[in-house]
Amino acid sequence: MEERLSKGPSSLRQGSLKSSLSGRSTPKGSPTYRRLNSSRTPRREARSGAGGTQWFRSNRVVYWLLLITLWAYLGFYVQSRWAHGHKKEEFLGFNGDPRDKLVDAEQNTRRDLLTDDSLVAVNNITNKTQVHVDRKIDVILAKKGNGFTSRKKRSKRRRRNLPKVRGKLKAKTNTENGDAEGQELEILQKNSTFGLLVGPFGSLEDRVLEWSPEKRSGTCDRKGDFARLVWSRRLVLVFHELSMTGAPISMMELATELLSCGATVSAVVLSKKGGLMSELARRRIKVIEDRADLSFKTAMKADLVIAGSAVCASWIDQYIAHFPAGGSQIAWWIMENRREYFDRSKLVLHRVKMLIFLSELQSKQWLTWCQEENIKLRSQPALVPLAVNDELAFVAGFPCSLNTPSASSVKMLEKRQLLRDAARKEMGLTDNDMLVISLSSINAGKGQLFLLESADLAINEYPLQTGSEVKKSLDIRPDQSSLSVKHHLRGLHQRSRNLDVSSTNLRLFTSVNTTNAVSINGTHRRKMYDSKGAQEQALKILIGSVGSKSNKIPYVKEILSFLSQHAKLSESVLWAPATTRVASLYSAADVYVMNSQGLGETFGRVTVEAMAFGLPVLGTDGGGTKEIVEHNVTGLLHPMGHPGTRVLAENIRFLLKNPNARKQMGMEGRKMVERKYLKRHMYKRFVEVLTKCMRSK
């Protein structure tokens, strides 16, 4: 035994390999056994770990390369986050400015009444916080220290080292922007001078309907022709602005539908004025930051470019100058109907592939102007009217892509009634109130002041037009004759003979019978009562789009001045903030008013939305409204301008006293929407446009 142990290590090493390979057992105490099973001992593990660390330290080149790689990655990450503006304060660890949170809280409780395109106009009006009429208008200015100007002040400090001239110009711009954002006029929640601010009702809709737009997984009909046509295609959509008005919202919904159907969509925004940028981000619509070279390069690679307003003429002109063949891939969806828009776009009308219009009257008007200017278009214009989107159709109770077994169209009708009750309760309305709404941007072209004048006539029961007044109105000079005046006089003369003329063609007043005739200058005014002797309903007026970037401050000031002089009317006026969540407003309403002036509304997307919710429409006798609203069937028409205020007052008073008429007109309106103005109808027409305009694969 001792002789074996006395053998040198060399002999053990020589025999170790042989013994291990031969399969013979090795004594546990032998060095061979320890080498073969060294991974089992903690001490060996520690030595091997220490060896790895020592190796890593000895190779310092690898260490420095790894450190440089991590540092470069961190630098690029910070730079990209900063460049794309992902909440810079919060990203750097400051968790945002608490003053910004205070501003958000205040904005949720006190909504901005108005803004204006012209910042100078904002400054002039905000410096004058009192309007002296018979009484002072109660208007408050936003507090200077509420956080609105904090970012502007920081931007000024950053620019102190810039050249003097450039610094002065930018400082002036920042000051104006600060005034527009922080010192705009606001309306109080309760104010007896000019009405009550209600809403928004987005959270109420989510709670009552148990559904919200965020839950939407897509509205595309995969089996439809539109989906097959745009699948894997690249399209560029040009927005002229991001205000919550018809054209930008329609373009946003088109982009959403294209993305849902598998297309690649890029948006070019010419003006970021408005509140839709966050909505575009929520819908994952990519916005190209650059409006020049980068947008041109993206458009050149696209299969089709769709411009969504006549205001896009400048971008189209620059794009064609940059890429002369680009006009053959542009479809221009024009949504305006005024001569000023034609004048700014006429130089490029003949250079695009196709023009798209919203209504027959708009198409005829623009073609007439083209003939006057000797403009020859490349192809015959297409007609693609707007439609009710799936989100509103879903709430209104129409079958659509959002329906599920637990949210069928029948169940949504029941939930819509619950939404109506909840919204009216929050507004402070009773079952005896008739709510008339108008959700257009607040400017003279939309006629909100005329609406309030008509409501004042209806509320105070002022005497309306008589036969002698009509006869006097007929004596007009030849130079005053126009189509709108003729429509007005014809309708006015008809109403003067019999104020109940609207009911003769409806065949729906079986329960509204009793009338009292009063002779006035040879004419008859009929006062109607409910057959059950119920109390007459009270009139309430709701004006929407408070805080919209398209509002005109001087016009809103004029409205407030009018309300300050009519205390009884102001008690019946409600205001609602600008929002894309309007289902609760339509559900709560009883009547919709489209009171556009001038040439009338180009189409009136809100008109078909209101009809989808079963509302009769009181609209002006012109433009697209005349094409949508069938007089005495889905609503009542009235002339434009001041002459139309009395006729509109008659129509309001008529519907106020005849709930059955409202119900029947609303039912007819829903039938018309189901026949002509749902999403499938609009995209069926779009297929024809895309087939003619889009590049072949």
Side-chain angles (χ1 to χ4, degrees), residues 676-691:
K676 300 171 61 175
Y677 298 117
L678 291 179
K679 189 189 76 172
R680 64 174 181 269
H681 302 117
M682 185 180 81
Y683 287 109
K684 182 179 180 180
R685 297 196 178 218
F686 246 120
V687 168
E688 300 175 3
V689 174
L690 297 178
T691 303

Side-chain angles (χ1 to χ4, degrees), residues 196-305:
L196 173 69
L197 180 67
V198 296
F201 300 100
S203 59
L204 179 67
E205 292 179 15
D206 296 343
R207 185 174 69 254
V208 175
L209 301 176
E210 300 177 340
W211 181 89
S212 65
E214 285 76 8
K215 296 181 180 180
R216 179 186 55 195
S217 59
T219 61
C220 178
D221 180 11
R222 298 288 183 180
K223 299 180 181 179
D225 294 334
F226 183 82
R228 288 194 293 267
L229 189 61
V230 303
W231 175 262
S232 74
R233 296 286 193 151
R234 292 175 295 182
L235 293 96
V236 172
L237 272 59
V238 185
F239 294 67
H240 75 289
E241 63 181 23
L242 295 179
S243 61
M244 294 184 186
T245 53
I249 291 178
S250 300
M251 292 293 289
M252 178 182 69
E253 291 177 352
L254 174 60
T256 304
E257 187 71 12
L258 290 168
L259 286 174
S260 179
C261 292
T264 301
V265 178
S266 300
V268 177
V269 178
L270 304 185
S271 173
K272 295 184 179 180
K273 178 184 70 174
L276 288 182
M277 182 59 77
S278 59
E279 187 68 14
L280 292 178
R282 185 183 70 82
R283 296 174 182 238
R284 299 180 180 179
I285 299 173
K286 178 184 177 182
V287 178
I288 301 175
E289 296 294 334
D290 182 23
R291 294 172 295 177
D293 292 340
L294 182 58
S295 66
F296 298 156
K297 292 178 181 178
T298 307
M300 289 169 59
K301 299 176 182 178
D303 296 300
L304 182 66
V305 177

Side-chain angles (χ1 to χ4, degrees), residues 327-563:
S328 60
Q329 62 179 123
I330 298 178
W332 199 350
W333 201 7
I334 297 178
M335 305 189 189
E336 295 85 6
N337 196 29
R338 295 204 300 269
R339 180 63 190 239
E340 60 187 271
Y341 290 104
F342 172 81
D343 291 337
R344 69 191 300 177
S345 59
K346 61 184 180 182
L347 296 179
V348 290
L349 288 175
H350 64 287
R351 306 182 69 183
V352 301
K353 180 72 173 180
M354 179 179 289
L355 299 181
I356 308 172
F357 295 112
L358 300 179
S359 65
E360 289 285 354
L361 289 177
Q362 181 202 15
S363 178
K364 292 178 181 179
Q365 184 64 71
W366 278 71
L367 290 177
T368 301
W369 289 334
C370 288
Q371 291 178 358
E372 294 174 356
E373 299 287 339
N374 294 322
I375 299 174
K376 295 182 179 180
L377 303 178
R378 295 178 62 171
S379 61
Q380 185 69 21
L383 192 65
V384 181
L386 300 178
V388 180
N389 62 41
D390 270 359
E391 293 175 8
L392 287 177
F394 175 67
V395 181
F398 289 98
C400 65
S401 61
L402 298 177
N403 288 122
T404 62
S406 61
S408 63
S409 57
V410 176
K411 292 182 180 180
M412 291 310 301
L413 285 174
E414 298 174 357
K415 290 185 177 182
R416 195 188 82 185
Q417 182 61 41
L418 297 176
L419 179 62
R420 172 183 170 85
D421 297 339
R424 288 176 69 91
K425 182 179 179 180
E426 192 165 324
M427 294 178 186
L429 302 178
T430 65
D431 294 338
N432 200 43
D433 294 325
M434 185 184 84
L435 179 62
V436 177
I437 67 172
S438 177
L439 302 183
S440 304
S441 56
I442 306 175
N443 57 67
K446 302 300 182 180
Q448 286 90 350
L449 183 57
F450 290 150
L451 169 59
L452 292 176
E453 291 178 0
S454 300
D456 185 59
L457 293 174
I459 289 174
N460 293 285
E461 294 287 343
Y462 289 127
L464 301 176
Q465 288 273 17
T466 63
S468 60
E469 290 174 326
V470 173
K471 184 177 180 180
K472 183 178 179 181
S473 300
L474 287 170
D475 297 329
I476 59 175
R477 297 189 304 271
D479 58 335
Q480 290 180 316
S481 179
S482 65
L483 183 61
S484 61
V485 174
K486 290 178 182 178
H487 281 302
H488 159 56
L489 295 179
R490 183 169 62 250
L492 203 59
H493 181 65
Q494 187 181 24
R495 281 180 168 77
S496 67
R497 289 181 298 175
N498 185 2
L499 183 59
D500 194 24
V501 66
S502 300
S503 63
T504 60
N505 295 331
L506 290 174
R507 304 187 303 275
L508 45 87
F509 303 119
T510 57
S511 62
V512 182
N513 298 321
T514 53
T515 60
N516 289 341
V518 181
S519 177
I520 302 177
N521 295 332
T523 62
H524 293 275
R525 290 183 56 217
R526 298 179 183 269
K527 186 174 182 181
M528 297 187 178
Y529 300 90
D530 190 275
S531 60
K532 298 180 181 180
Q535 183 182 0
E536 183 179 318
Q537 289 192 312
L539 177 64
K540 299 292 183 180
I541 305 293
L542 185 145
I543 298 177
S545 297
V546 174
S548 171
K549 298 294 183 181
S550 298
N551 294 348
K552 304 298 181 183
I553 287 183
Y555 185 70
V556 181
K557 178 182 176 183
E558 190 176 355
I559 291 177
L560 299 182
S561 300
F562 178 81
L563 289 174

Side-chain angles (χ1 to χ4, degrees), residues 23-62:
R24 297 176 183 177
S25 61
T26 306
K28 293 184 178 181
S30 65
T32 304
Y33 184 89
R34 287 197 299 269
R35 276 198 305 272
L36 294 175
N37 301 276
S38 61
S39 58
R40 298 181 182 180
T41 60
R43 184 178 300 175
R44 184 62 180 171
E45 290 178 0
R47 284 199 299 267
S48 62
T53 305
Q54 184 177 2
W55 175 86
F56 183 77
R57 289 179 179 175
S58 62
N59 293 272
R60 294 188 177 182
V61 176
V62 178

